[in-house]
Amino acid sequence: GTVFNLHPLILEDIVHTGQRPKFEEYDNGLFMVLKMLRFNTEDERVQGDQLSLFMSGKYLITFHEKPVDVFNPVRERIRKHRGRIREYGTDYLAYAMLDTILDNYIASIAAIGSRIEDLEEAVLEDPSNEVLNLITTYKREVHYLRKSIRPARELVMAFAKCDTEIVSEKIIPFLKDLQDLISQATEALDSYREMLSDQLNIYNTSVGNKLNEIMKILTIFAAIFIPLTFIAGIYGTNFEYLPELKFKYSYFIFWGIIVTVAGVMIGFFKKRGWM
């Protein structure tokens, strides 16, 4: 900070890695903070590390929260003198780094998006607790992506519109390309967010329909057994003078009545479309 004359607030933002993505202009340069995101396929989680950039007309300083290989393609272009990266200034180098970060945004969204799309069939065919856990997990990850990417969009817009000599006119078309990338990322993210909400609604509807079917069957059985229980209750009493009890064929008549009542009720339910 002393060597490059960095403002104390810049140093504070660099050290505290929980910063919201932002863009700030200082007298001696431009300062940017944003998240580098990647989707870890092993634990199905999005991992983010803070990147801080300070750019002046002569140098670009970056501070990484953790060692990363995200910028290896940029390093290779510098080593092999490929493209404009050696010919242009620090503004183009900053663009190249931001372009790499935004490409990773889109790759991370595509990775989690493919899994969200695969859930569509599972939600319709087998709305199990495992499916619900996956929906909840992906909603959490999409929320984290959204929390990091939407402020990054403001950063890119501010970078493209900043009025300073550090950013030359010939870089403006490249910055517009960054705007297109970050817009593409936010639109895809909003799309998957809505898809997850729809899947959760479908899951709740499917579970509710299954519960309704179960309750329907139980209600039908209960309705059938109510008159049967009534009949059995009458002839299960302990009164001595029940005329039918002394009749020779009372037992068979009793069963005939029960079967007839049950059959008539089942036929009635089927006719009304309740079964």
Side-chain angles (χ1 to χ4, degrees):
T2 303
V3 171
F4 291 98
N5 191 27
L6 299 182
H7 196 279
L9 291 177
I10 294 178
L11 300 179
E12 183 178 344
D13 289 340
I14 291 171
V15 173
H16 295 89
T17 56
Q19 295 296 323
R20 183 180 185 272
K22 61 181 179 179
F23 175 88
E24 295 178 340
E25 294 188 46
Y26 288 87
D27 294 337
N28 58 335
L30 305 176
F31 178 65
M32 289 174 271
V33 176
L34 71 165
K35 293 289 184 181
M36 296 184 294
L37 304 173
R38 61 187 181 280
F39 185 72
N40 191 331
T41 55
E42 294 181 0
D43 57 2
E44 300 289 306
R45 297 288 299 272
V46 177
Q47 296 178 345
D49 303 320
Q50 180 169 299
L51 173 70
S52 304
L53 300 93
F54 182 80
M55 180 180 68
S56 73
K58 297 181 180 179
Y59 52 82
L60 174 66
I61 309 172
T62 62
F63 301 89
H64 307 257
E65 182 179 348
K66 298 176 183 178
V68 293
D69 55 2
V70 173
F71 298 119
N72 282 345
V74 178
R75 296 188 184 97
E76 287 299 312
R77 288 164 62 187
I78 295 174
R79 293 190 186 103
K80 298 180 180 180
H81 299 265
R82 290 189 302 188
R84 306 176 181 86
I85 202 160
R86 282 281 192 172
E87 301 172 4
Y88 287 21
T90 57
D91 50 359
Y92 184 84
L93 179 57
Y95 152 76
M97 298 183 73
L98 292 176
D99 181 64
T100 303
I101 293 172
L102 297 189
D103 285 341
N104 278 349
Y105 285 0
I106 294 175
S108 298
I109 295 171
I112 196 172
S114 64
R115 287 158 173 78
I116 293 172
E117 291 172 356
D118 292 340
L119 276 179
E120 194 81 31
E121 187 175 349
V123 170
L124 294 173
E125 294 182 357
D126 182 25
S128 60
N129 287 334
E130 182 181 354
V131 172
L132 178 61
N133 290 335
L134 287 174
I135 292 175
T136 305
T137 298
Y138 293 145
K139 279 183 71 71
R140 183 182 63 243
E141 299 308 308
V142 166
H143 176 71
Y144 177 75
L145 282 169
R146 192 167 180 264
K147 187 173 68 173
S148 300
I149 292 177
R150 289 186 71 86
R153 182 180 184 181
E154 300 172 7
L155 181 152
V156 171
M157 299 298 179
F159 186 27
K161 295 178 181 179
C162 70
D163 185 15
T164 175
E165 296 178 354
I166 299 175
V167 180
S168 60
E169 289 291 333
K170 57 186 177 182
I171 300 299
I172 300 300
F174 297 103
L175 299 184
K176 290 182 179 179
D177 178 64
L178 289 182
Q179 291 176 315
D180 293 337
L181 284 176
I182 196 68
S183 296
Q184 179 183 344
T186 52
E187 288 171 5
L189 200 57
D190 290 339
S191 175
Y192 287 125
R193 182 168 173 262
E194 292 177 3
M195 189 179 296
L196 281 171
S197 297
D198 292 341
Q199 288 176 354
L200 186 59
N201 291 334
I202 293 172
Y203 173 87
N204 291 330
T205 302
S206 299
V207 171
N209 288 338
K210 280 189 174 182
L211 181 60
N212 289 338
E213 287 296 322
I214 294 171
M215 293 303 297
K216 176 182 176 181
I217 294 172
L218 292 177
T219 303
I220 289 174
F221 273 103
I224 292 173
F225 277 94
I226 285 173
L228 304 185
T229 304
F230 173 74
I231 296 172
I234 291 176
Y235 290 99
T237 58
N238 295 321
F239 296 114
E240 182 178 356
Y241 299 104
L242 285 175
E244 295 86 353
L245 294 181
K246 299 186 180 296
F247 186 64
K248 182 177 179 180
Y249 300 103
S250 293
Y251 177 76
F252 302 103
I253 295 173
F254 171 77
W255 272 108
I257 294 173
I258 285 182
V259 171
T260 301
V261 170
V264 169
M265 293 189 69
I266 292 173
F268 176 76
F269 291 154
K270 286 186 175 181
K271 185 178 180 180
R272 295 297 299 268
W274 297 347
M275 291 184 67

